[in-house]
């Protein structure tokens, strides 16, 4: 099975890090720009431009692809469920939680376009003509779409377009070019995509589960402690655990009091306050560790 991943740019390193954390260590070779093996002999990594990855998956050069939803939507149909996907659709298996951005409709701050309805008969410049036309169809707007390959934000100021559809993360570039956001066209982030015909394959599910376990572990910590058995209910009340803590009997303390070992997964943001409260109810030997993967 081949997984197509970005070969460079801002998505490259986070994607390789995700593969590593998911247990799919990439074996670096001299041909890294094309293919690389992983520790799983059934899984190979294919390096490609982020914009080309959807077509690699659609055409069968790869079975899975890691790229932005904006790139996948621009290349063709995207389905959330394999059962409802057409042969040419990519199936959106998992939001990987990085590379977030928005495709927005924007126009000059002092111009005549201040609402979507003002686009009737207008010209829109964009690097995403497919997504833009689908957006206009949803809004019932008849407008011309001009495809550009760079410097989209300049087109309204040189009379090439009345508005643009472009990617923004912070909005700073739009502000610098005196463009105001009129509407959000698409909210995007990096996703794990599969072809519809392999979306239900056991190996694909194995990879998806591995990625999901990494995401589930993010921002969580594993707490281990000893506590008096007589105060177990108080300890349970303190721990904001994931489905409740795990409790195991241990030997009595030096005074002969029954003790239990308590393990729980908690949100990282709760750790500081939780430790203080646990000490107040008699917990001791509190240990906090990071979690690499968590299968829920």
């Amino acid at each position: 099975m081949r997984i197509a991943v970005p070969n460079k740019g801002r998505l490259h390193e986070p994607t390789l890090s995700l593969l590593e954390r998911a247990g799919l260590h990439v074996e670096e070779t001299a041909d890294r720009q094309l293919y690389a093996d992983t520790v799983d002999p059934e899984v190979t990594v294919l390096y490609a431009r982020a914009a080309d990855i959807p077509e690699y998956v659609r055409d069968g050069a790869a079975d899975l692809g890691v790229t932005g939803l904006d790139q996948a939507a621009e290349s063709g149909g995207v389905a959330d469920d394999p059962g409802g996907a057409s042969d040419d659709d990519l199936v959106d298996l998992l939001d990987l939680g990085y590379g977030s951005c928005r495709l927005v409709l924007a126009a000059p701050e002092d111009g005549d376009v201040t609402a979507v309805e003002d686009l009737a008969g207008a010209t829109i410049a964009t690097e995403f003509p497919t997504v833009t036309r689908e957006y206009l169809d949803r809004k019932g707007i008849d407008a011309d779409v001009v495809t550009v390959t760079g410097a989209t934000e300049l087109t309204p100021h040189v009379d090439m377009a009345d508005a643009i559809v472009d990617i923004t993360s912070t909005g700073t570039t739009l502000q610098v070019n005196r463009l105001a956001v009129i509407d959000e066209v698409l909210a995007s982030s990096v996703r794990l995509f599969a072809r519809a015909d392999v979306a239900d394959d056991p190996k694909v599910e194995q990879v998806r589960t591995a990625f999901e376990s990494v995401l589930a572990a993010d921002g969580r910590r594993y707490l281990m402690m000893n506590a008096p058995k007589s105060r177990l209910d108080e300890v349970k009340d303190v721990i904001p655990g994931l489905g409740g803590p795990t409790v195991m009997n241990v030997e009595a303390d030096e005074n002969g009091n029954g003790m239990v070992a308590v393990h729980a997964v908690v949100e990282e943001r709760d750790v500081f306050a939780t430790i203080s409260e646990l000490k107040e109810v008699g917990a001791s030997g509190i240990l906090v560790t990071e979690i690499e993967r968590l299968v829920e």
Side-chain angles (χ1 to χ4, degrees), residues 74-159:
E74 179 60 26
S75 74
V78 175
D80 295 327
D81 181 4
S86 69
D87 292 341
D88 292 330
D89 282 346
L90 295 181
V91 180
D92 185 353
L93 295 179
L94 186 63
D95 186 342
L96 301 179
Y98 59 94
S100 297
C101 62
R102 297 187 301 152
L103 270 178
V104 298
L105 171 69
E109 294 174 347
D110 56 355
D112 297 328
V113 178
T114 59
V116 178
E117 293 73 20
D118 298 330
L119 293 172
T123 299
I124 304 170
T126 183
E127 294 185 55
F128 296 86
T130 301
V131 173
T132 301
R133 291 189 183 98
E134 290 177 353
Y135 167 77
L136 293 172
D137 288 343
R138 292 197 306 271
K139 295 294 185 177
I141 301 296
D142 183 15
D144 292 328
V145 177
V146 175
T147 303
V148 295
T149 57
T152 308
E153 64 276 2
L154 297 180
T155 56
H157 300 298
V158 293
D159 297 327

Side-chain angles (χ1 to χ4, degrees), residues 172-184:
T172 301
T173 301
L174 295 177
Q175 293 174 3
V176 168
N177 288 279
R178 305 188 309 281
L179 297 170
V181 174
I182 295 172
D183 195 13
E184 181 176 279

